[in-house]
Amino acid sequence: MKREVPPHSGQAVPTIGEGAYRQIRSDIIFGKLAPGQKLRLEKLKDAYGASVSTLREILNRLASEALVVAEGQRGFQVAPVSAANLREIADLRLLLETHALEQSFAAGGMEWEGRVVAAHHRLKALEARMRDGDHSEIQSWKRYDWEFHQVLISACGSELLMETHADAFDKYLRYQLVALSYRGDIAAEEHRLLLEHALKRDAARACEVLACHIRGGVEHALATGTIG
């Protein structure tokens, strides 16, 4: 998700290879390509409109991100999921995000506050629809979730930290979507508290809420029984 930015004037148009990479990556994260699924180059060629050689490069790139597994002469498959891996990813996300929150809360100004409020407003609207049983925009809901957490840390001053966090968040998100895990009002209230503590610059309390938010998401996903 981290590479899916809204188009705007002057933005470079992605090449066929880059476009296929983004789409395959998104399809893995959102579960359209399921964990353990074999990735046949000829079928992918038809689905994503890229050559076999380009697709092989893309899959090797995704293998370096641990989203795909290269099986030597047997080809590629979508990376499998496991409870142990989810917990490891969640711990990494928490470590990165708490550090980034502390830095961002200390440095963020009025423009940052405005972006935080706007991001939460969008997320809250989709959470309300999910609560009412409308699951037609799950991808938009999780995009707004991602954007809210990214905006919270966006004043941390480190592009490398944000990129590393985004990678961990994407892997965490894949598990949430595999499990179709939605915690309803609990998650929405945690997001509201993160907004409140951000505006007060209370990083300590925000980090406490974040820890509950991430660990609660892990336990809820595991409770669905969809992750081995």
Side-chain angles (χ1 to χ4, degrees):
M1 290 185 64
K2 68 180 187 305
R3 295 167 179 81
E4 292 181 359
V5 294
H8 57 79
S9 178
Q11 183 178 16
V13 176
T15 63
I16 292 174
E18 186 65 22
Y21 162 75
R22 293 183 186 183
Q23 190 59 56
I24 293 171
R25 191 178 192 279
S26 177
D27 286 350
I28 291 172
I29 291 169
F30 281 93
K32 293 179 182 178
L33 295 172
Q37 180 177 334
K38 299 290 185 181
L39 297 171
R40 309 292 186 190
L41 292 175
E42 287 299 327
K43 291 183 68 174
L44 294 178
K45 178 182 175 182
D46 294 335
Y48 296 100
S51 67
V52 168
S53 60
T54 297
L55 286 166
R56 188 173 287 109
E57 291 177 4
I58 289 170
L59 295 180
N60 278 314
R61 182 177 174 185
L62 290 168
S64 73
E65 298 179 35
L67 291 171
V68 164
V69 175
E71 302 180 297
Q73 297 302 314
R74 293 179 297 172
F76 300 88
Q77 70 173 41
V78 178
V81 296
S82 70
N85 185 241
L86 170 56
R87 293 188 187 281
E88 185 176 21
I89 289 167
D91 287 344
L92 177 60
R93 178 191 162 188
L94 181 58
L95 177 68
L96 295 167
E97 197 165 334
T98 51
H99 176 64
L101 276 178
E102 291 168 352
Q103 302 300 312
S104 191
F105 281 23
M110 290 297 294
E111 290 186 2
W112 170 78
E113 284 188 11
R115 293 197 304 273
V116 170
V117 171
H120 181 263
H121 177 75
R122 291 190 293 271
L123 174 58
K124 182 179 178 181
L126 265 292
E127 287 176 328
R129 292 176 62 173
M130 292 286 292
R131 184 185 63 235
D132 293 339
D134 180 359
H135 295 175
S136 63
E137 293 193 55
I138 288 178
Q139 188 159 335
S140 294
W141 162 54
K142 295 314 295 183
R143 177 183 179 182
Y144 291 153
D145 188 355
W146 180 90
E147 287 179 352
F148 177 61
H149 284 277
Q150 282 292 98
V151 169
L152 283 171
I153 67 170
S154 63
C156 70
S158 171
E159 288 295 325
L160 178 58
L161 176 55
M162 289 194 65
E163 282 288 313
T164 306
H165 167 267
D167 282 330
F169 192 103
D170 284 353
K171 293 181 178 72
Y172 177 89
L173 172 60
R174 183 168 81 109
Y175 274 92
Q176 299 298 306
L177 291 163
V178 166
L180 293 177
S181 180
Y182 176 58
R183 294 190 298 136
D185 289 343
I186 296 173
E189 175 62 11
E190 289 164 350
H191 286 141
R192 188 195 68 78
L193 288 170
L194 285 171
L195 170 65
E196 178 180 308
H197 297 323
L199 297 180
K200 292 179 179 178
R201 301 296 200 278
D202 192 339
R205 290 191 178 181
C207 289
E208 290 174 2
V209 172
L210 181 66
C212 292
H213 185 64
I214 293 175
R215 289 169 181 155
V218 169
E219 297 310 318
H220 193 272
L222 293 177
T224 65
T226 56
I227 299 169

